[in-house]
Amino acid sequence: MAEKRIKVLVAKPGLDGHDRGAKVIALALKEAGMEVIYTGLHKTIDQIVNIAIQEDVDVIGLSIMSGAHIPLTRKLMEKLKELGIQDKKIFVGGVIPSKDIPKLKEMGVEGVFPGGTPIEEIISAIKASVKK
Amino acid sequence: MNPNDLAERIISGDEKAASRAISMIENGEETGFEVLSKLYPKTGTSFRIGVTGSPGAGKSTIIDRLAFCYGKKGKKIGVIAIDPTSIKTKGAFFGDRLRLKNAEKIEGIFIRSMAHRGFSGGISKAALGAECILEALGKEIIIVESVGVGQTELSISLISDVVITVLTPDFGDEIQLMKAGLLDIGDIIVMNKMDIPNAEEKAKDIIHYLESIKGEISVPLVKTIARQGQGVELLIDTLEQEREKKLKEEKENKEKIKTLVIALIKEEMEKGIEEMMEKNITFNDLLAQVISKKLDPYYMARLVVSNILKNGKLEETLG
Ligand SMILES: Nc1nc2c(ncn2[C@@H]2O[C@H](COP(=O)(O)OP(=O)(O)OP(=O)(O)O)[C@@H](O)[C@H]2O)c(=O)[nH]1
Ligand SMILES: [Mg+2]
């Protein structure tokens, strides 16, 4: 099926107002041949999940700089489970201390990209996850 | 996934099923087309509004306000926003959704972004299918935003009941209007951003120009300041009037469907030919002869097409 494209939702949950990084990543993913939707700032987890359903994305990338990555990600994973859409691949990026990475992975997050992760690494991780 | 189940789930209002089916059509999956075959006969009552116009004219902002007003009237709304696919990378960035801040608050609104994926004419091949699916899902007003400008924009009218063309007073001069070919389509012209300096004056120029080319046939023109929601109620009234008019134009409606089917046939043919190029031995032999200049490219093209058409009897079922 040659026409299949990877569809990615770049989401900004919670209170922080910094989306430079999220936008840079969104454009880089587009350059890598993906179809990318950006939610805009200050979305609730419910809104993000709703958008993910309507857009039928393969991947949700949360960009979190506020330090609330653990509770926000947990809430997302619970919501996805509740709605029966665990087939989406979840990535988390932003200001993430390395000690939290195992916790996020335990919740079912596919990959974690702390600030400064090379974009090529993000692209290949997303491509690999969708192929699985 | 079973197409019958999927169709049933869509009709019962399951967003996940609808969204999945739209993706299937986008990706060219058989199941998606089977779902569509089941749903299509049941559609035809929604109001499909196409919105086109130059980049940044305010299409999404207008859609946001339209959806919000229709929503307040209790209508169920679907929005399909089509953005360009990058020719180079095949990727796309969807920015329209960000503008739909008021619309997002409406209960039960369904918003879907689509890349046109190279389908000629600024709409995506799956757009018609997506409209049907949204209607089956229960949406009464379906608004489609179409990408960019240019002559090929004609095709938004093929999947819409009424088309709005959005212009701004700072669009430029007559020559630019003529070049863009935007005024060839559109049942309603919206002059947006009437809050910018000298708007009235510039708007008058454009209106004069319109009168001079359209002559007797007057296209309704609505002035808006979409960012503030001004003029939107009037736009809705105008839309409803045009809808009434269009319903009576039986011949034109048949013509639209014919043009659309032909566009889809061409698209399918293109895909078929690409597959043939990869596999067919005769095709590749002929191609080698063109490369070595034994045959000329026109001859080969005519030969291939005449062969396809000669052997292709038209059967009523899909093989
Ligand atoms: N001054 C003024 N600006 C407006 C008005 N309506 C929309 N805008 C602004 O124009 C810009 C583009 O608006 P959009 O609604 O995204 O325009 P669009 O035609 O959908 O753009 P594309 O989809 O990118 O082609 C935004 O910054 C809007 O806030 C208006 O009535 N007046
Ligand atoms: Mg837009």
Side-chain angles (χ1 to χ4, degrees):
Chain A
M1 224 121 352
E3 292 168 77
K4 173 69 188 153
R5 305 269 160 80
I6 298 175
K7 220 172 159 182
V8 183
L9 180 64
V10 176
K12 285 283 318 175
L15 296 175
D16 78 84
H18 306 282
D19 67 349
R20 195 66 254 153
K23 284 177 181 158
V24 168
I25 290 190
L27 283 179
L29 297 181
K30 175 199 166 181
E31 287 303 306
M34 301 180 201
E35 293 185 349
V36 187
I37 299 141
Y38 172 51
T39 59
L41 290 169
H42 309 310
K43 292 291 182 264
T44 64
I45 293 296
D46 283 358
Q47 283 171 323
I48 291 169
V49 171
N50 189 37
I51 296 175
I53 290 175
Q54 295 187 350
E55 300 286 2
D56 194 30
V57 294
D58 307 296
V59 173
I60 303 175
L62 295 178
S63 160
I64 307 170
M65 325 286 264
S66 63
H69 43 275
I70 298 281
L72 285 170
T73 307
R74 183 172 294 126
K75 198 160 172 217
L76 175 75
M77 302 317 270
E78 279 166 6
K79 190 82 197 172
L80 293 177
K81 195 169 166 199
E82 181 192 321
L83 295 173
I85 42 173
Q86 293 113 304
D87 57 334
K88 313 248 177 266
K89 309 293 179 196
I90 311 303
F91 292 87
V92 180
V95 183
I96 318 284
S98 51
K99 69 172 170 48
D100 287 344
I101 296 178
K103 285 187 210 160
L104 290 168
K105 291 236 166 120
E106 220 166 276
M107 287 181 209
V109 170
E110 196 78 24
V112 182
F113 308 122
T117 309
I119 191 72
E120 296 75 31
E121 199 177 302
I122 299 179
I123 291 167
S124 53
I126 290 178
K127 285 187 174 161
S129 79
V130 173
K131 271 203 208 100
K132 279 202 282 203
Chain B
M1 231 179 286
N2 177 321
N4 277 319
D5 291 351
L6 208 48
E8 283 309 317
R9 279 171 58 195
I10 293 169
I11 292 168
S12 72
D14 182 339
E15 284 200 354
K16 262 189 291 173
S19 172
R20 203 68 265 293
I22 294 173
S23 303
M24 285 174 170
I25 295 172
E26 280 187 298
N27 298 336
E29 290 172 41
E30 193 57 38
T31 312
F33 295 114
E34 284 171 30
V35 170
L36 199 62
S37 301
K38 301 203 185 309
L39 298 179
Y40 188 79
K42 300 194 175 102
T43 60
T45 55
S46 66
F47 182 20
R48 302 172 307 162
I49 303 169
V51 180
T52 183
S54 44
K59 299 179 292 292
S60 301
T61 313
I62 287 172
I63 291 173
D64 182 47
R65 297 292 179 164
L66 274 179
F68 190 67
C69 287
Y70 268 121
K72 275 202 299 201
K73 294 180 203 291
K75 296 283 186 197
K76 303 218 167 50
I77 297 161
V79 177
I80 301 167
I82 304 168
D83 273 311
T85 296
S86 152
I87 299 171
K88 220 174 75 204
T89 67
K90 304 271 192 278
F93 179 77
F94 302 115
D96 296 317
R97 202 178 178 111
L98 281 174
R99 308 269 188 224
L100 304 177
K101 292 234 161 68
N102 295 295
E104 267 188 342
K105 291 180 209 139
I106 298 165
E107 178 67 28
I109 190 167
F110 190 106
I111 303 169
R112 175 70 176 229
S113 314
M114 280 182 145
H116 76 54
R117 298 192 183 178
F119 190 59
S120 59
I123 59 167
S124 112
K125 180 185 162 192
L128 174 74
E131 283 181 340
C132 289
I133 288 165
L134 291 189
E135 182 173 335
L137 188 65
K139 306 304 171 204
E140 299 157 289
I141 308 277
I142 297 167
I143 312 177
V144 180
E145 172 171 347
S146 121
V147 48
V149 279
Q151 271 76 4
T152 47
E153 279 292 285
L154 268 172
S155 54
I156 180 96
S157 63
L158 301 178
I159 59 162
S160 311
D161 299 313
V162 175
V163 174
I164 299 172
T165 301
V166 184
L167 298 179
T168 55
D170 57 0
F171 186 77
D173 59 13
E174 272 185 13
I175 298 296
Q176 276 170 299
L177 281 179
M178 289 162 78
K179 256 174 59 180
L182 265 177
L183 301 173
D184 304 343
I185 54 159
D187 307 296
I188 300 172
I189 290 178
V190 166
M191 188 69 71
N192 187 38
K193 304 197 186 181
M194 287 303 290
D195 55 328
I196 61 179
N198 299 327
E200 282 298 340
E201 212 173 296
K202 299 243 181 69
K204 249 183 223 139
D205 288 347
I206 295 178
I207 293 166
H208 278 152
Y209 172 72
L210 282 176
E211 282 168 353
S212 70
I213 52 159
K214 297 262 169 177
E216 296 290 293
I217 326 151
S218 73
V219 183
L221 185 138
V222 180
K223 295 176 188 170
T224 59
I225 306 175
R227 207 147 67 172
Q228 298 161 22
Q230 258 182 56
V232 177
E233 284 296 338
L234 180 62
L235 180 56
I236 288 186
D237 291 343
T238 315
L239 276 165
E240 294 295 331
Q241 281 161 21
E242 288 302 305
R243 182 190 193 185
E244 285 300 309
K245 260 194 249 167
K246 288 280 170 142
L247 284 174
K248 294 186 194 114
E249 290 170 358
E250 242 173 83
K251 192 164 154 237
E252 194 182 304
N253 294 336
K254 279 185 195 156
E255 207 51 43
K256 263 191 196 175
I257 295 173
K258 182 174 160 190
T259 313
L260 182 70
V261 171
I262 290 172
L264 289 173
I265 291 173
K266 283 185 186 158
E267 171 90 7
E268 285 294 315
M269 285 283 237
E270 220 176 284
K271 220 172 58 188
I273 285 167
E274 273 167 21
E275 276 164 25
M276 189 162 85
M277 285 194 292
E278 278 167 25
K279 295 183 208 127
N280 189 291
I281 297 170
T282 318
F283 185 95
N284 285 304
D285 277 352
L286 287 168
L287 191 62
Q289 292 186 53
V290 174
I291 292 166
S292 65
K293 290 200 178 285
K294 277 198 213 94
L295 293 177
D296 70 90
Y298 294 102
Y299 178 83
M300 172 163 174
R302 289 166 54 217
L303 181 75
V304 168
V305 172
S306 80
N307 266 307
I308 293 172
L309 294 182
K310 194 168 62 202
N311 299 336
K313 273 199 318 244
L314 206 50
E315 310 264 355
E316 288 221 2
T317 51
L318 192 60

